[in-house]
Amino acid sequence: MPTPFIHDDFLLQTSTAQRLYHDYAAGQPILDYHNHLPPQDIAENRQFNDLFEIWLEGDHYKWRAMRANGVDESLVTGNADPYQKFLAFARTVPHTLRNPLYHWTHLELKRYFGIDELLDENNAPAIWEKTKAALAEPENRAAAILDRFQVKALCTTDDPTADLRWHQQIADPEKFDFSVKAYPTFRPDKALNVHQPEDFNAWLNDLEKASDTSITTLFDLRNALKNRHDFFHSIGGRLSDHGLSRCYANFGTESSAAAVFDKARAGTAATPEEQSEFASHLMLYFGQLDAEKGWTKQMHIGALRNNNRRLFREVGADIGCDSIGDLSQAEALSAYLGRLDEDDALPKVVFYNLNPSDNYVFATMAGNFQDGRTAGKIQFGSGWWFLDQKQAMEWQIDALSNCGLLSRFIGMLTDSRSFMSFPRHEYFRRTLCNLLGNDVENGLIPDNDGMLQPLVENICFGNARDFLGLELP
C-alpha cells in the first residue's frame, strides 16, 4: 500500500526534524490567541450538519481558489445548495497543487475524519456522506473539537459593542461542560471611521447602549470605550487588536480631534487628513488603556481590502477580495511606538506584517522598543493571512531569528473562522521543526536537545502562555 500523502513525517525532511517534532512539538497544547470563531458556537457546542457548514461556510481562502478555477459566484457565496458548493470545491482541489490549500485540505480531512484519500470530484460524494455521519458524533461538535485538539484557551475577535454573553456562559461551569477557556479580544476599528459618518454614528449608537452612556463629545467617546475595555478585562480579556492598512501617527491636539469628532457626529465626513489625525489620537488612547491593564496589543498591518468593488457591493466584505498592500510602513510604526514609549504607555505589542518585503522592517522595528524588563515585549508576529503557509512561515522565522530572539517568539495562531483550522498549529510546528532540523544537520546550530527542547516547546505553547497573562485551565 502506498504511503498516504499526510503521513507521520509529513513536511519533516530529516531525522532530526522528525525527532524534534514527535518528541517535543506534537504533544504541546494549543493557545489560539487570535481567531474569528463565533463564541456562540462554542457556548452552545454547535453540531455541524455537513462539510459545508464546518468547512466552507466562511472560508475566503477556498472562495478565492474557486473563483480562480472558474466557479460561478452562486456556488461560492451565493444561494446554491450546500452540497453543490462542496462539489464545486472538490472539483477545485486538484487544481490547488502547490497552493497551501492542498496541504490544509488533506491535513484537515485526515485529522478530523481519518480520510487519506485525495479529494476530487470522483470521491467527493462518498467523502460528503462519510463526514456527514462523523459530524453527527459528539466529538465533532464545536466545543468538543477544542477538547480533542488540546486547545487550552482561545481569543475571539470582538467589537467593543459586543455584549459578550457567550463568553460569560463559557466561563460559567454550571452552563459549560468543557475545560477550554474562551476570551474576547477588544477590536475597536469602527471607532476610527469618522470619514464614514453614517456608519460611524450607527456604531456610536450601539456603543451608547452597550456602555449605558450618552456620547455627544470626544470625551464621552473615550469614557464609553474605557467602560467597554474595563468590561472585557472583567471577564478575562487581556488582548486588543487593530486591523490597519498602515499605522496611524499623525498626531495633533486633543481639541483638533474633538473638532473632527463633532463634525462626524453631525453627519459630515472627515477629510483623509482629519481621519488620520483622529485615528492617531484614538490609537494613542487605546495604547494607554492596554498599558494600564498589562494587556497585549495586536496590530495587523498591511492589507488592501475590498479591491473588487462590484463584489463588495453585491456580497460584502471579507469574501476573498483582499490582497497585500504596498504602503510604506516603517516611519509611521516607529513614530507610533515611540510616542507611546515616551509617554510611558507602551504595552506589550505583537505586530503582524502582510507584505513579505517588509519582514525585516518589522523584525528590526521590534528590537527598537524592547524595554529590558519584559522578555520579548515587542513581538514580530507569526506569518499572517497570505503568509501563513510553509514558505512564508520560514521567511518570518528567518527574519525574526536574524534580527531578534527566536527563543522568545510566541508562535502560531489560526486567524480563522472555521473549527476545522486547528491543524494549522500542527502545520506550523512541522515547519518550525523541519527548519531547525535542517539547521542542525547542516551544522548551523548545535545538535543539543538541552537547548532545542525548550526552544521548540516554548514557541509551540510556553511563550504564549507566559507572555499573554491569560487564565488557563
Side-chain angles (χ1 to χ4, degrees):
M1 179 177 292
T3 302
F5 178 56
I6 304 297
H7 55 85
D8 286 349
D9 294 327
F10 175 63
L11 299 185
L12 304 171
Q13 298 169 327
T14 65
S15 60
T16 303
Q18 293 162 12
R19 185 183 81 249
L20 293 177
Y21 176 74
H22 293 299
D23 290 356
Y24 305 132
Q28 291 299 305
I30 289 173
L31 203 175
D32 197 55
Y33 56 90
H34 176 73
N35 62 65
H36 298 271
L37 295 175
Q40 182 177 354
D41 287 355
I42 302 169
E44 296 182 338
N45 197 19
R46 178 182 175 185
Q47 181 173 10
F48 302 94
N49 292 314
D50 49 49
L51 274 182
F52 171 78
E53 289 189 4
I54 195 173
W55 215 24
L56 297 174
E57 197 171 54
D59 192 337
H60 53 85
Y61 290 92
K62 295 182 176 69
W63 295 347
R64 284 175 70 91
M66 292 166 72
R67 291 191 191 107
N69 199 44
V71 174
D72 186 80
E73 193 66 28
S74 65
L75 292 164
V76 181
T77 62
N79 296 321
D81 178 77
Y83 177 59
Q84 294 302 319
K85 289 183 175 181
F86 168 72
L87 293 180
F89 175 65
R91 290 192 295 271
T92 300
V93 167
H95 296 280
T96 65
L97 282 174
R98 298 204 83 243
N99 185 296
L101 267 174
Y102 199 81
H103 283 171
W104 298 338
T105 292
H106 294 100
L107 188 61
E108 290 162 8
L109 287 174
K110 174 80 167 184
R111 294 295 175 251
Y112 283 77
F113 307 109
I115 293 173
D116 283 317
E117 297 174 73
L118 302 179
L119 178 61
D120 60 28
E121 62 181 321
N122 296 313
N123 60 23
I127 287 177
W128 175 268
E129 293 302 326
K130 180 175 181 178
T131 56
K132 191 175 179 67
L135 287 168
E137 297 297 324
E139 65 267 21
N140 284 318
R141 296 173 74 107
I145 286 170
L146 305 180
D147 266 6
R148 281 181 57 196
F149 284 91
Q150 297 190 75
V151 180
K152 295 299 183 183
L154 55 82
C155 299
T156 61
T157 305
D158 307 274
D159 191 270
T161 62
D163 63 20
L164 306 184
R165 68 183 185 278
W166 301 112
H167 293 89
Q168 292 174 300
Q169 182 169 317
I170 294 166
D172 186 344
E174 294 184 0
K175 297 179 180 178
F176 190 71
D177 294 334
F178 299 89
S179 61
V180 65
K181 301 285 189 178
Y183 296 113
T185 297
F186 189 78
R187 178 98 176 231
D189 291 353
K190 293 180 180 179
L192 310 182
N193 292 339
V194 285
H195 58 306
Q196 299 169 333
E198 184 175 350
D199 294 340
F200 179 68
N201 284 307
W203 179 80
L204 285 181
N205 294 339
D206 291 337
L207 183 62
E208 285 184 324
K209 295 174 185 175
S211 62
D212 194 23
T213 303
S214 175
I215 302 175
T216 59
T217 66
L218 176 62
F219 180 80
D220 296 336
L221 172 60
R222 287 168 49 130
N223 280 345
L225 288 166
K226 185 180 187 307
N227 174 295
R228 301 308 294 164
H229 196 276
D230 290 345
F231 181 58
F232 276 57
H233 189 85
S234 73
I235 61 173
R238 296 294 182 270
L239 293 93
S240 64
D241 183 50
H242 307 273
L244 307 170
S245 59
R246 64 186 297 176
C247 191
Y248 289 103
N250 182 16
F251 307 119
T253 64
E254 183 164 345
S255 61
S256 63
V260 175
F261 174 87
D262 294 342
K263 179 178 177 179
R265 197 60 166 134
T268 301
T271 66
E273 178 73 13
E274 289 171 336
Q275 191 272 334
S276 176
E277 189 171 310
F278 180 82
S280 301
H281 175 83
L282 277 191
M283 286 298 296
L284 288 177
Y285 183 61
F286 294 139
Q288 294 162 6
L289 292 179
D290 290 346
E292 287 171 1
K293 293 189 177 70
W295 280 23
T296 299
K297 176 180 291 299
Q298 298 175 98
M299 301 173 68
H300 288 82
I301 303 174
L304 188 64
R305 299 178 187 270
N306 304 318
N307 293 270
N308 189 320
R309 302 305 297 175
R310 176 185 57 80
L311 273 179
F312 176 71
R313 288 191 299 269
E314 294 175 1
V315 184
D318 302 322
I319 60 167
C321 294
D322 307 322
S323 60
I324 293 171
D326 61 355
L327 296 169
S328 177
Q329 302 290 355
E331 290 186 6
L333 184 56
S334 174
Y336 176 65
L337 297 175
R339 175 66 178 270
L340 288 173
D341 185 64
E342 288 176 353
D343 294 344
D344 195 25
L346 181 62
K348 293 179 289 186
V349 176
V350 185
F351 41 66
Y352 308 88
N353 173 44
L354 196 55
N355 191 331
S357 67
D358 287 331
N359 277 0
Y360 276 81
V361 170
F362 280 60
T364 55
M365 189 64 67
N368 295 332
F369 296 99
Q370 306 292 357
D371 66 1
R373 298 189 300 273
T374 303
K377 178 177 179 177
I378 310 299
Q379 294 265 336
F380 174 34
S382 61
W384 166 48
W385 204 340
F386 298 107
L387 306 183
D388 64 352
Q389 30 78 10
K390 180 179 181 295
Q391 186 177 47
M393 288 176 185
E394 292 170 347
W395 293 342
Q396 186 270 344
I397 291 169
D398 282 342
L400 171 57
S401 301
N402 286 327
C403 301
L405 299 180
L406 179 63
S407 62
R408 294 299 183 181
F409 179 35
I410 62 172
M412 192 57 183
L413 44 89
T414 63
D415 192 24
S416 176
R417 292 168 171 80
S418 171
F419 283 85
M420 287 277 282
S421 293
F422 288 103
R424 301 274 181 90
H425 286 268
E426 176 186 340
Y427 193 74
F428 166 80
R429 293 171 182 186
R430 288 177 179 271
T431 298
L432 170 70
C433 291
N434 187 62
L435 194 63
L436 294 172
N438 285 335
D439 282 352
V440 168
E441 300 208 5
N442 287 320
L444 298 174
I445 59 176
D447 187 4
N448 181 328
D449 279 18
M451 298 173 67
L452 293 170
Q453 178 179 353
L455 178 68
V456 170
E457 292 179 346
N458 285 335
I459 293 172
C460 292
F461 177 73
N463 285 344
R465 174 199 61 206
D466 297 340
F467 185 81
L468 298 173
L470 296 165
E471 181 183 338
L472 303 184

